Amino acid sequence: MSRGWPLWEVFVRSRRGLSHTHVGSLHAPDAEMALRNARDVYTRRQEGVSLWVVPSAEIVASDPGEREAFFDPADDKVYRHPTFYDVPEGVEHL
Amino acid sequence: MPHVYGNDFGAPERAPELTDEAFAALLADDGRVEPRDPMPEGYRRTLVRQIAQHAHSEIIGMQPEGNWISRAPSLRRKAILMAKVQDEAGHGLYLYAAAETLGVDRADLLDQLHTGRQKYSSIFNYPTLSWADVGAIGWLVDGAAIVNQVPLCRCSYGPYARAMVRVCKEESFHQRQGFEILHTLSHGTPAQKAMAQDAVDRYWWPSLMMFGPPDDDSPNSAQSMAWGIKRFSNDDLRQRFVDMTVPQAEVLGLTLPDPEIRWNEERGHYDFGTVDFTELFEVIKGNGPCNRDRMAHRVAAHEDGAWVREAADAYAAKQVARTEGAA
Ligand SMILES: [Fe+2]
Ligand SMILES: [Fe+2]
């Protein structure tokens, strides 16, 4: 694989009540260094109250080449959205 | 069906190739390209070159200002300058990570910088002779960088655009602190004001060169525009910078060293003199005042840091061995 340290993905929770969000990646020799580097690279301005680092190689992702086939089941189910339904004039709180 | 691919930010495999026609359709559709999408090889190569060059500029750019950290005139200025230089290191890291999503290795990119096969912005080959230069760099060099970088936040390549959003958020303090340094000097003693004027005199033209050659001499611009990497031409961005900067110079009470600067009512822009691009090409060729110093310093820093990288590797290996032994 790559020369040097493995790659880690960095996720930041910007404040309590919100999910961790992917912010970028970095190289580090181990998890502890990855966390410290993530703090210095991605939270220099109090952008976070919690950090996750995940080895990039551990992430399993859907194949962009098969995007259409993979997400196809949702394509013809517009009735899952409230806007699909006709609501008679004057009906409120529905 | 789902398969492992590292991540969005460091695809170990290269994205499959795509014809220009199919790519144009994809751009028209989504407007954004993500790491694992198919893309034309030329698009990928152009992005690698541009993002790497941008990353190199960020880290080489730490040197001219780093030169003044130990001599900053107050603790306040020193803390600010350290924060700025540290930001530039961060910008370099965001950008190397974005380049790696295109299937290249950061270590290889650094090799290419160290052996001169990849370039960095020629502005960093000028020396910082006085404290006022730190102000001029913040105001003019970071100012020009902002004008170049803001449109890149909408660039067609997702990871590059996202890196630019972070960078742009951080840049605005860089420009302001530079302006503040110059404002303080230009409202100080006559000697301080003269120092500020001298710095602006030396940095004005090189800052205008940061936008690259004029449009009729910029062969790759049209392709980059078609690919959605570039949004505005070099000359348009240069004009935007001049329009932005002239009124600020008035507030500073400093003179921009160009007698041809004049408001043009008809165009709705400031006219300005012709940039001497032969100087730019000389600096790019390696004949600027500081090219050799910058590279020597960069290579030495990399080599001097080797033991730290090795120690971290050894420590990580020992930790792994220990956990495996305990299991
Ligand atoms: Fe920067
Ligand atoms: Fe900056």
Side-chain angles (χ1 to χ4, degrees), chain A residues 4-72:
Chain A
W5 296 334
L7 199 62
W8 302 75
E9 297 308 313
V10 181
F11 298 81
V12 175
R13 186 203 292 287
S14 55
R15 57 188 162 81
R16 298 174 61 81
L18 296 177
S19 320
H20 287 75
T21 308
H22 184 243
V23 291
S25 55
L26 50 77
H27 290 276
D30 58 32
E32 198 187 326
M33 287 294 286
L35 266 182
R36 282 171 184 273
N37 290 352
R39 177 199 60 192
D40 292 345
V41 178
Y42 292 106
T43 61
R44 285 196 301 284
R45 287 172 174 76
Q46 299 176 297
E47 287 96 337
V49 294
S50 164
L51 271 175
W52 289 348
V53 290
V54 181
S56 306
E58 298 293 322
I59 290 178
V60 180
S62 61
D63 182 346
E66 288 168 30
R67 181 175 60 178
E68 264 163 48
F70 189 68
F71 293 103
D72 164 78

Side-chain angles (χ1 to χ4, degrees), chain B:
Chain B
M1 193 199 339
H3 69 234
V4 180
Y5 78 78
N7 65 91
D8 228 21
F9 278 72
E13 312 155 26
R14 284 186 179 171
E17 213 181 313
L18 193 69
T19 62
D20 284 329
E21 296 73 43
F23 189 62
L26 182 120
L27 279 181
D29 227 25
D30 278 353
R32 283 293 169 94
V33 183
E34 292 297 341
R36 301 266 300 173
D37 288 341
M39 58 184 86
E41 179 56 16
Y43 178 81
R44 197 189 71 83
R45 266 207 319 269
T46 300
L47 276 171
V48 168
R49 187 170 36 84
Q50 181 172 336
I51 300 173
Q53 189 165 322
H54 198 158
H56 299 330
S57 303
E58 299 286 351
I59 63 164
I60 295 287
M62 296 164 75
Q63 290 187 36
E65 290 174 291
N67 179 35
W68 280 91
I69 290 177
S70 63
R71 291 172 290 162
S74 69
L75 193 55
R76 177 179 182 271
R77 294 288 183 207
K78 186 172 184 158
I80 291 170
L81 187 55
M82 271 168 54
K84 180 188 189 288
V85 171
Q86 198 183 16
D87 271 355
E88 307 301 2
H91 298 174
L93 289 171
Y94 306 152
L95 286 160
Y96 284 121
E100 285 193 306
T101 64
L102 292 157
V104 291
D105 208 286
R106 186 174 74 184
D108 291 333
L109 298 179
L110 284 174
D111 279 352
Q112 299 202 46
L113 169 64
H114 297 160
T115 53
R117 279 171 295 155
Q118 278 177 350
K119 303 276 178 210
Y120 55 89
S121 176
S122 42
I123 191 76
F124 301 117
N125 288 317
Y126 291 89
T128 39
L129 304 176
S130 74
W131 167 252
D133 287 11
V134 175
I137 289 181
W139 178 45
L140 297 174
V141 176
D142 288 81
I146 291 170
V147 171
N148 266 329
Q149 287 168 347
V150 166
L152 287 172
C153 296
R154 292 187 293 121
C155 139
S156 60
Y157 190 58
Y160 192 25
R162 291 190 285 273
M164 280 299 108
V165 170
R166 298 187 70 85
V167 166
C168 287
K169 267 190 207 157
E170 301 182 356
E171 286 294 349
S172 50
F173 118 69
H174 297 181
Q175 197 190 15
R176 281 194 187 189
Q177 64 86 39
F179 186 87
E180 193 195 69
I181 289 172
L182 290 180
H183 194 266
T184 306
L185 289 172
S186 68
H187 292 79
T189 65
Q192 287 171 327
K193 184 168 183 181
M195 191 202 279
Q197 183 62 57
D198 170 63
V200 169
D201 286 347
R202 281 180 290 108
Y203 272 94
W204 172 249
W205 290 106
S207 301
L208 291 188
M209 294 175 204
M210 286 175 68
F211 298 94
D215 292 348
D216 46 24
D217 192 19
S218 180
N220 304 319
S221 280
Q223 181 57 270
S224 283
M225 293 240 201
W227 278 334
I229 298 172
K230 206 170 162 55
R231 300 275 176 194
F232 301 98
S233 80
N234 295 353
D235 287 333
D236 285 353
L237 292 170
R238 195 168 5 248
Q239 181 71 60
R240 188 174 297 176
F241 175 70
V242 171
D243 290 347
M244 203 177 86
T245 311
V246 173
Q248 293 172 359
E250 281 163 20
V251 176
L252 289 175
L254 297 173
T255 315
L256 297 172
D258 177 358
E260 291 178 52
I261 290 180
R262 183 165 303 112
W263 177 252
N264 184 325
E265 193 69 55
E266 223 167 277
R267 294 200 307 126
H269 293 287
Y270 285 95
D271 289 337
F272 57 101
T274 318
V275 183
D276 175 16
F277 284 100
T278 49
E279 176 181 326
L280 176 70
F281 295 127
E282 274 307 302
V283 181
I284 291 174
K285 266 193 263 164
N287 303 325
C290 298
N291 295 55
R292 276 174 206 85
D293 276 5
R294 299 291 183 240
M295 284 309 295
H297 188 84
R298 173 66 214 141
V299 172
H302 189 69
E303 285 168 0
D304 292 348
W307 72 270
V308 179
R309 294 190 291 276
E310 283 159 22
D313 272 339
Y315 180 77
K318 204 159 89 181
Q319 293 302 105
V320 171
R322 233 176 241 167
T323 6
E324 278 169 5

